[in-house]
Structures are given as structure tokens and as C-alpha cells.
Amino acid sequence: MFGFATRGVHGNWRCNRRIVHPLTDQNGSAFWAVIAVLLVTSLLFSTVVFYGAWHQTQNRRLLYETQGQYLAIAALETVRARLDGEGASGEILAGEILAGSLAGRRSWRAAIAPWGCYWRAVCTGKSHQFTHTIDALIGRHPPADFNLALKLFGPPYPLVLAGESQIRGDVATGTAGVMAGRFRGRDRTDSVLVNGQVVTTAQPRAPTLDWSVWNAFQDRIGQLRGSIPIRTDRTLIVDDTTRLTPGDSVIIVNAPVTVRRQHDLVTQTSTVILIASGPVLIAGSTCIDARCAIISDRSIEVADSARVSGVVLHAPRIVIRDAARFSGQALADTLLEVKDRAVTVFPSLLWVTGSRKSGAAPVLRLTSREPCAGIAGISPGAGEIRNRSHQPPGELLVDAQSRWTGYLEVCGKAVIGGEVAGSVQAELLGVEDPPTIYLNWLLDAVIDRKAWDGWAALPAFAADAGSWTFAEFVSPRASLEKRPESPGNSTP
């Protein structure tokens, strides 16, 4: 170490030495090490504080989202309780909004309105800035009659099983009973024809129908048709360039319509209503997953590989063909057909209402080679009672190669040649061998209630059905692949 001399007050010289502290060495490395340790400690402390704050925010977010979800579910249950009230359905046919609020910036809201043959409830639960929405369809819980494999409510002709016909489940035929018979020289096999109980004590009664919900839905469509300008396109093509408004969209066109898109047509809680005077074709790889009503004065075809879900189709004639996939409500006046390799899945309603204007017998054909599921039926038109002497009976045909899962309800004749896993209710059964029709015969057919242990919610016009239940329960943002199924594959 180096020193230097200084002179004191009294003139004496003394030698001063410079003492260097370890923290003030030539490079200062120890000093910077201490600073680095303090900085890392500060960063770690800040990270812990920020993580705690972030974690608390996420917990609060999850809490609010969960509260919004449960508020929406509570609103949906409130709607169902409201419908179960005596005379409530008649009071809310024009649409009703239920709402309520709770302390702490929490509220719920439910809008009820007819949607096709079901009630539609758009329920929203809000907690602080988070909102959860449920878009559900509400129908009727099936009564005990739908636990039967077969119920015949027409003239008391005996039920005859021929060929390889079998029924697995209970049968209600009235006083006529069940017997085996020959057809074209074939006798019955030694297998058990009816594997279940045969109820013959009293004649079953026909189902009671109340079309008020469907009529209210049609009235709304008629009001829209009369109040919105009509487009006069020569042909309306709904493709990928078609843009829908954020709110409800209503398109009325006096022309044929073709829907052919590569991108999905998806809406949130809004509604799309397309009314056309000409035929409507939904083809290509079009995917529609929306609350969409398509009305045609001529016909509607769902073809090719189209995938249609959540819609209401209404026209005099409706055909679902090729490899199309359908999940929704299809109501035709005279003809509804599912053929080729088309598929229908729960929740699907296929119904022919009949029309006095056409004079033709209403026909429902289920001839697809792929397994199909849903609720299908024929009945007199809304508000009509069929006069057997003046109106031709409706006819439902299940082809020999077809397989159906669900419910079949026919106010007319049912010709069943394939397999039905579920329940059949018909006025009459028939086997056609022109010029002869064998009434209340089954030939080489299988009706198996035990093969399907599920249930499906009936439409609102099933007046003698049970309490209200959920037919479809979806999030508006769900795609066709993510759309949850109806209770059709669950057990009661």
C-alpha cells in the first residue's frame, strides 16, 4: 500500500496510509453481486405478489362465470315451472320475458316463444361483467304408452304376424288380440312372436293433439311475411359471400333458393328466417347449425353431404336424400321422405300434417339404408279432425332395409318392413300386395322396444303427454359436431 506525508499543526510530519475496504476493490465485483442479489430478491417478491393477484383475479373470474352459468340454468328451470303452471302456455303464446336480479350485480333473464313445435327459451345469467347464455327447446315428457312396443288404436282387427316378424315388448291391441298367419304360402317360424305382455282388455285411444304452439309460430311467420319487403331475385344463392346481420335476419324472396356454402352458417342467439315462394335446395357440403327457419311454398330438399342442425323446415314436400345429415324439425303438408343414405339423429322431428287443399293422402317414407333416429309421425292438419269417409288416410312406410330408433306415431296406416327399435303407435298396420291390402299385418318386420332404452321429448302438440322437459339443450356457439344430443340416448 502506498501512503503520503502531511504536516500537522505544530509542523510535525506524519505518514497517512490509505486503507482499501474489500467492497471498494478495483473491479467492484462484490458490490455488484450484492446489487444482483437484492434485484433477484425483489423480482421474486414481485412475482409472488403479482401471481397472487393474478390467481385471485382468475378465481374471481371463475366464480363469476360459474354464477352466470347457474343463473342461466335457474332461469331455464323457471321457464319450465312457468309452463307447468295451469293455463300458462296459453298466456305466453305471444312470447314472454321473465327476469330477476340478485344482490351483487347478478341477474337473469329468460325469453320464451314458440319455435316450430317446441317452446324455445333463451336464458341468460349475468354475474358482474360475465354472461352465460343457454338456448334450449322444451317439449313434453313421453307418457307410459311410449313404453309399449306397439299400440293399435284403430278398428279392432286382430294383429297378425307372418314370416319372420317379431315384437319384443308389450303390445296393446284392444280386444282383437294377436295371432300368426300365412302370407304367400309361408307359415310362421317357431320363434316367439311377441316377447312381452299383450294387453287386450280395452281398445287404446288415439292421441290428443294441440297445435296451438305450431299455429302461433306460423302466425308469427305470416306477420313477418306481410311486413317485410319481398326480394325479386331470379334465383337467390346463399353462399360464402352471404353476410347475415348480427341480430335477427328475415329474408323473403319470390324465387327459388339454393344454399351452397363451404363455410359453416352459424348464428349466436339470433334467428334466421328464410321464406321463399319457390323451391329451396340445401346441397353441397353446406353446414347449417343455427336457429334457422326455412319456409317454402313449393318444396325443400336437403341433399348431397349437407349437414343441417337446429332448423325448422316447412313446405308441402320435403326430401332428405343422398348422404345428408339432419337434426331438427321437418314438417310437410303432403310428403316427407328420408331416402338413399341420409341420416337423421336426435333431436329430430319428422311430421306430415296433411292438407285439405291438395286432396292427396299424406305420406311419410323412411327408406334410408343408414340407421336413423328421432320422432316421426302423421296426423290430421292443425286444428283438423280427419273424416275417414272424405279424407284419404295417411301412410307411413318403413322400408325393409331401414332401421329406425325412436317413436313412430301414425293417425293412419303404417307399413313396416324393416326394424324399429322403439315404440310404434298406429291406427292400423298394413301389408300391401296389390290389389290386396292386409290390415293389421306385419311381414318380416321387427319392433323391439327393448333394443332402445332411451326416451325423447315429444313436441308441444302432444297434449296428453307428461310434464315439460328439455328436448334440446345447447350453447348457441356450439358447432354441429359439438352440439349436445337430446335425451334420446339416455334412460328415463
Side-chain angles (χ1 to χ4, degrees):
M1 291 296 187
F2 297 96
F4 56 92
T6 59
R7 189 173 183 177
V9 179
H10 301 287
N12 297 325
W13 292 88
R14 62 182 180 184
C15 181
N16 294 333
R17 289 182 179 273
R18 179 184 299 169
I19 301 175
V20 180
H21 195 274
L23 291 179
T24 58
D25 62 350
Q26 200 170 27
N27 297 324
S29 57
F31 172 78
W32 292 112
V34 172
I35 295 298
V37 170
L38 293 175
L39 181 60
V40 170
T41 304
S42 176
L43 289 175
L44 288 175
F45 180 76
S46 300
T47 301
V48 171
V49 172
F50 287 137
Y51 176 76
W54 174 84
H55 195 271
Q56 185 179 9
T57 301
Q58 292 300 109
N59 286 341
R60 189 181 296 111
R61 177 190 179 94
L62 178 61
L63 174 63
Y64 293 158
E65 289 180 346
T66 304
Q67 287 177 343
Q69 179 180 356
Y70 279 99
L71 284 170
I73 295 175
L76 188 58
E77 290 292 345
T78 303
V79 170
R80 185 165 65 167
R82 177 77 173 87
L83 289 172
D84 282 330
E86 185 177 355
S89 59
E91 297 175 3
I92 60 178
L93 282 175
E96 182 174 352
I97 296 178
L98 306 176
S101 61
L102 289 80
R105 297 168 59 191
R106 294 187 295 270
S107 61
W108 59 271
R109 183 179 185 273
I112 320 169
W115 181 253
C117 295
Y118 294 87
W119 288 106
R120 180 188 181 189
V122 179
C123 303
T124 302
K126 185 175 182 181
S127 178
H128 294 75
Q129 71 271 31
F130 295 97
T131 301
H132 186 87
T133 302
I134 295 174
D135 191 349
L137 297 184
I138 302 176
R140 294 277 194 180
H141 199 285
D145 285 352
F146 284 90
N147 293 326
L148 300 170
L150 176 64
K151 171 184 146 181
L152 297 175
F153 54 83
Y157 301 148
L159 172 62
V160 182
L161 284 79
E164 301 295 326
S165 296
Q166 288 193 10
I167 297 178
R168 302 186 184 99
D170 297 338
V171 175
T173 62
T175 57
V178 181
M179 60 182 293
R182 293 186 177 186
F183 184 83
R184 292 184 179 179
R186 288 183 291 182
D187 198 356
R188 67 178 178 85
T189 63
D190 294 332
S191 60
V192 178
L193 295 177
V194 177
N195 183 6
Q197 181 181 3
V198 179
V199 181
T200 61
T201 54
Q203 187 65 27
R205 64 183 182 88
T208 304
L209 305 179
D210 177 8
W211 290 92
S212 56
V213 173
W214 170 249
N215 289 337
F217 178 75
Q218 284 192 303
D219 290 343
R220 180 192 171 201
I221 297 295
Q223 293 173 1
L224 293 173
R225 194 165 193 167
S227 61
I228 296 178
I230 301 176
R231 297 177 56 168
T232 57
D233 308 48
R234 295 181 60 183
T235 299
L236 174 62
I237 300 177
V238 181
D239 54 16
D240 291 329
T241 62
T242 304
R243 295 291 181 264
L244 301 176
T245 59
D248 294 348
S249 299
V250 180
I251 303 172
I252 302 176
V253 58
N254 188 18
V257 176
T258 299
V259 182
R260 193 183 298 269
R261 298 170 56 93
Q262 295 298 320
H263 300 292
D264 297 355
L265 177 61
V266 180
T267 63
Q268 300 296 321
T269 58
S270 59
T271 299
V272 178
I273 298 176
L274 173 61
I275 305 173
S277 60
V280 176
L281 173 63
I282 305 173
S285 300
T286 298
C287 177
I288 301 176
D289 181 17
R291 289 286 183 243
C292 179
I294 301 177
I295 317 295
S296 172
D297 294 339
R298 296 276 300 279
S299 65
I300 298 175
E301 286 194 28
V302 183
D304 299 337
S305 299
R307 301 168 66 86
V308 178
S309 179
V311 303
V312 176
L313 305 180
H314 182 216
R317 297 176 63 256
I318 299 177
V319 177
I320 303 172
R321 59 181 175 87
D322 300 333
R325 181 182 176 91
F326 180 78
S327 172
Q329 304 175 58
L331 288 98
D333 294 334
T334 56
L335 173 65
L336 199 159
E337 189 171 8
V338 180
K339 62 180 183 177
D340 302 331
R341 305 194 73 89
V343 176
T344 63
V345 299
F346 287 110
S348 285
L349 174 67
L350 311 176
W351 207 270
V352 181
T353 61
S355 174
R356 289 183 176 178
K357 296 180 180 179
S358 64
V363 177
L364 173 59
R365 297 194 185 104
L366 306 175
T367 61
S368 174
R369 297 189 296 273
E370 296 293 327
C372 294
I375 303 170
I378 301 176
S379 67
E384 298 179 5
I385 299 176
R386 183 171 68 84
N387 187 334
R388 291 188 176 90
S389 60
H390 296 89
Q391 286 180 272
E395 179 178 285
L396 178 143
L397 172 64
V398 179
D399 194 77
Q401 61 187 358
S402 301
R403 289 171 292 171
W404 179 264
T405 299
Y407 302 140
L408 298 177
E409 189 169 350
V410 186
C411 294
K413 182 180 63 177
V415 181
I416 299 176
E419 299 181 9
V420 176
S423 178
V424 178
Q425 300 195 34
E427 190 173 349
L428 289 169
L429 297 176
V431 172
E432 297 186 356
D433 183 22
T436 305
I437 298 177
Y438 296 82
L439 296 179
N440 272 7
W441 278 57
L442 280 177
L443 175 65
D444 297 334
V446 176
I447 302 176
D448 191 351
R449 186 62 182 92
K450 299 178 181 179
W452 177 53
D453 59 356
W455 64 280
L458 298 177
F461 59 71
D464 51 2
S467 60
W468 295 99
T469 186
F470 302 122
E472 187 181 19
F473 185 96
V474 301
S475 167
R477 292 170 292 186
S479 64
L480 186 62
E481 290 75 18
K482 297 178 182 177
R483 178 179 288 266
E485 293 185 348
S486 74
N489 289 334
S490 62
T491 55

